[in-house]
Amino acid sequence: MPHDALPPDPFAGDPEDPARELGEPDHDHDHPPMDDVERAELVGDLSDLAVYQALLEPRGVRGIVVDCGECDEPHYHDWALLRSSLEQLLSDGRMRPHEPAYDPDPAAYVSWEYCRGYADGVTATESAR
């Protein structure tokens, strides 16, 4: 699901919007615009993600687990959520916060490195035939 398919803000234009109490967003944490190398790497990641999903989803893998450096907890991303987040990063230069997976089964998620190794193994096996 693309990120612009999200539901509309129910408080958009509402002078009683409760978020107004939070003040203006802190732009000190804004990241500089993505350069051409970063953009190319992100496009490559999206391409890789499609391959990983095609190879692993039929085997019961629901997505990718990422160890978060901020909270030291694993974050479980279903294929569609991760794709949507990467596409948003590519188009907007940032990702919106999202709800974490509810009660994920850790056995159904693998690391990016696992995906890469699995894809490399499939490619090597196909090349050896």
Side-chain angles (χ1 to χ4, degrees), residues 52-118:
Y52 302 158
Q53 181 178 5
L55 291 172
L56 293 166
E57 188 173 44
R59 302 182 76 61
V61 176
R62 294 200 52 190
I64 294 182
V65 60
V66 178
D67 291 323
C68 179
E70 291 181 24
C71 69
D72 292 325
E73 295 286 329
H75 290 230
Y76 299 91
H77 301 274
D78 287 347
W79 300 112
L81 175 63
L82 186 53
R83 183 179 348 4
S84 177
S85 294
L86 292 175
E87 287 171 348
Q88 182 179 27
L89 182 58
L90 187 61
S91 68
D92 298 349
R94 64 181 180 85
M95 286 190 262
R96 291 181 183 153
H98 61 270
E99 286 293 318
Y102 176 75
D103 197 25
D105 175 7
Y109 295 84
V110 295
S111 69
W112 193 268
E113 291 77 19
Y114 178 92
C115 291
R116 185 176 297 121
Y118 190 90

Side-chain angles (χ1 to χ4, degrees), residues 18-82:
R20 294 179 72 125
E21 293 179 24
L22 298 174
E24 291 300 312
D26 180 9
H27 295 287
D28 291 341
H29 298 289
D30 284 346
H31 298 284
M34 201 178 309
D35 64 28
D36 291 340
V37 171
E38 292 169 320
R39 181 170 295 284
E41 287 175 358
L42 190 52
V43 168
D45 287 347
L46 278 163
S47 177
D48 290 345
L49 182 65
V51 170
Y52 302 158
Q53 181 178 5
L55 291 172
L56 293 166
E57 188 173 44
R59 302 182 76 61
V61 176
R62 294 200 52 190
I64 294 182
V65 60
V66 178
D67 291 323
C68 179
E70 291 181 24
C71 69
D72 292 325
E73 295 286 329
H75 290 230
Y76 299 91
H77 301 274
D78 287 347
W79 300 112
L81 175 63
L82 186 53

